Amino acid sequence: MTDQHASKAPRHWGVITVFVLTALISVTLVPWYGFSEGYSGWAWVFAVLFLYLNGIGIGSGYHRLWSHRAYKAHWSLRLFLAVWGAQALQNSILVWSARHRMHHRHVDDNDQDPYSIGRGFWYAHIGWMLRNYPAGAVNMDLVKDLQRDPIAAWQHRWYWPLTLFMNAGVPLLLGWAVGDLWGVFLLAGVLRLFVNHHFTFFINSLAHMWGRQPYSDEHTAKDNWFISILTYGEGYHNFHHTFQNDYRNGVRWWQFDLNKWFISLCSMAGLASELKRVPHFKILRARLAMEFKRANRRLQVEKDHNWRDHLEREYAQFMDTVKQWQALQMEKVSVGKQRLLQRWERVDFRTRLKSLEYLLKMQHKRVAHLALLVKLPKTL
Ligand SMILES: [Zn+2]
Ligand SMILES: [Zn+2]
């Protein structure tokens, strides 16, 4: 345990009060009101709607747009994301992004990652917010680019009145309008906030604990479809920490990623542009490199020479494919610099790229199969 952890930092009483109150009301008053008075359909509709709007405000806005600049957004979309993100009560865009950039820069470093999983589930989930830990200090120098965004700056300036209005004012006004004042306030105000808080916090806790590591094991982030459903699509966290500027977290088309779909829709509507995607080849390369790493680890224990020779041949082929891909990139850049590429040239480059990607895909299957054939305990 580090010094800063041993000598307990001062408590954040305001934060503690909000977490305790919303949790207590959610497990006492909310069910009691439901049994004694009953909730209107409107209360449920607003609760679910706000829950997902908060998820999108944080995921598509705070996280992918502002923290990672994974795409560009029209001012109307930024305003929408800033307002619904404020309702999630997770501090302003600037504060959230400054800490999140620290999280990526120093992931798993107990002294610098604001919510390092190295300090355990409770700390990464919620504990880091309850006390004034040095690792949680906000370095505004990390978000200078965001301070120039008038909407992020406006949201930061008016954050507390805005979040109060969105959390209490909006549910009360809507509740009054539909004739279920307390029902809407309790479900769409309090319970929704409690649920959204913990769903989002799972990204810092469970998504660094449970799941697979298909792209890298140099950080604790994991891919987990179940956590992704809870976290609006942020559960493909191993991919995200490996390729943080990609606008997608669930990179395969079938992986549940609400924010990826929302951003794509906005792009179709002309509200989002310059969506960043990591080249497919790089994703396949990372996946295969991980597979080699795993197979190697197994063989170190097994010491089977036949398998080892086999794996070495596969690895030599892998390096060759990567070299060919690098050469293709260079060629594309140098030809592209001289003149605009002709249509047939573009097709030619694309075909060669596709065939290299295919080589990696097939090799991934072979190496994964090979790793399975070397039967060893799963703990490796
Ligand atoms: Zn993370
Ligand atoms: Zn991130």
Side-chain angles (χ1 to χ4, degrees):
M1 210 174 265
T2 53
D3 286 347
Q4 59 161 305
H5 211 54
S7 57
K8 286 286 186 190
R11 283 189 173 87
H12 275 311
W13 285 109
V15 178
I16 295 172
T17 310
V18 169
F19 287 150
V20 170
L21 263 184
T22 50
L24 272 181
I25 296 173
S26 296
V27 297
T28 56
L29 265 180
V30 169
W32 171 79
Y33 190 86
F35 287 123
S36 59
E37 304 289 324
Y39 291 108
S40 64
W42 281 114
W44 288 106
V45 169
F46 289 135
V48 173
L49 189 70
F50 289 2
L51 185 70
Y52 282 95
L53 285 171
N54 291 171
I56 285 171
I58 295 293
S60 301
Y62 278 47
H63 190 211
R64 302 190 198 185
L65 174 68
W66 281 294
S67 298
H68 293 298
R69 311 191 65 168
Y71 64 100
K72 290 211 162 82
H74 186 261
W75 69 264
S76 56
L77 175 59
R78 279 183 286 139
L79 184 65
F80 173 87
L81 295 167
V83 167
W84 289 107
Q87 198 191 41
L89 193 57
Q90 295 179 22
N91 224 316
S92 72
I93 295 161
L94 298 182
V95 171
W96 200 102
S97 301
R99 286 198 178 114
H100 193 71
R101 286 177 178 181
M102 277 299 274
H103 170 60
H104 275 269
R105 199 174 281 190
H106 301 286
V107 65
D108 303 326
D109 174 339
N110 285 357
D111 293 322
Q112 298 199 68
D113 175 353
Y115 22 89
S116 174
I117 195 67
R119 292 183 169 196
F121 172 86
W122 177 256
Y123 181 86
H125 188 74
I126 197 169
W128 68 275
M129 289 174 272
L130 307 182
R131 287 175 184 271
N132 195 8
Y133 293 109
V138 180
N139 179 1
M140 281 298 193
D141 286 346
L142 294 179
V143 288
K144 280 197 173 133
D145 55 328
L146 305 183
Q147 284 169 327
R148 287 193 291 273
D149 177 343
I151 288 176
W154 163 81
Q155 197 241 29
H156 184 73
R157 182 168 160 71
W158 297 103
Y159 181 72
W160 294 108
L162 180 64
T163 196
L164 191 68
F165 173 71
M166 291 303 290
N167 277 291
V170 170
L172 284 172
L173 275 172
L174 287 173
W176 170 75
V178 299
D180 184 15
L181 184 84
W182 292 112
V184 174
F185 179 74
L186 285 173
L187 277 197
V190 184
L191 182 69
R192 179 267 320 159
L193 183 61
F194 171 67
V195 172
N196 181 63
H197 267 159
H198 291 279
F199 278 8
T200 319
F201 301 163
F202 281 145
I203 306 163
N204 297 335
S205 56
L206 293 184
H208 278 269
M209 292 173 81
W210 291 344
R212 297 174 58 243
Q213 296 190 294
Y215 303 100
S216 171
D217 63 356
E218 276 160 23
H219 47 73
T220 54
K222 309 283 195 296
D223 271 16
N224 186 318
W225 65 267
F226 179 69
I227 294 169
S228 213
I229 290 171
L230 291 184
T231 56
Y232 321 93
E234 305 270 342
Y236 292 101
H237 212 51
N238 188 257
F239 178 84
H240 175 60
H241 269 272
T242 314
F243 302 109
Q244 56 170 298
N245 295 321
D246 199 303
Y247 84 95
R248 305 158 298 181
N249 276 14
V251 73
R252 323 286 289 268
W253 66 268
W254 47 267
Q255 288 176 329
F256 180 88
D257 184 349
L258 196 65
N259 290 302
K260 160 184 79 177
W261 293 320
F262 177 78
I263 296 165
S264 297
L265 272 179
C266 289
S267 150
M268 284 175 211
L271 293 170
S273 58
E274 298 178 41
L275 277 55
K276 286 189 190 138
R277 285 185 191 85
V278 177
H280 189 48
F281 186 90
K282 282 193 177 178
I283 298 171
L284 294 171
R285 182 177 69 184
R287 220 159 53 117
L288 187 51
M290 261 317 286
E291 211 58 71
F292 274 117
K293 218 171 175 177
R294 258 184 220 116
N296 244 323
R297 255 181 239 150
R298 282 172 171 239
L299 281 171
Q300 261 164 20
V301 184
E302 183 69 353
K303 303 245 185 292
D304 183 317
H305 291 296
N306 281 338
W307 289 127
R308 176 145 296 284
D309 291 348
H310 199 75
L311 193 68
E312 270 166 16
R313 277 199 300 278
E314 288 285 2
Y315 196 73
Q317 192 188 325
F318 170 57
M319 293 312 284
D320 184 56
T321 315
V322 170
K323 256 189 212 142
Q324 284 186 53
W325 178 77
Q326 283 163 343
L328 184 69
Q329 299 305 305
M330 301 282 278
E331 196 186 330
K332 211 165 138 187
V333 170
S334 67
V335 175
K337 262 186 192 159
Q338 290 160 21
R339 61 198 153 83
L340 277 177
L341 292 183
Q342 300 290 325
R343 195 177 143 73
W344 67 269
E345 283 175 314
R346 285 205 302 270
V347 173
D348 175 53
F349 276 124
R350 207 177 316 135
T351 315
R352 284 156 70 193
L353 179 64
K354 287 275 166 220
S355 66
L356 291 176
E357 286 172 357
Y358 183 75
L359 281 178
L360 285 198
K361 241 184 240 174
M362 287 302 109
Q363 210 183 4
H364 181 261
K365 281 195 180 146
R366 286 202 304 276
V367 177
H369 190 64
L370 191 137
L372 279 179
L373 286 176
V374 187
K375 283 202 179 78
L376 282 170
K378 275 211 154 166
T379 46
L380 289 166

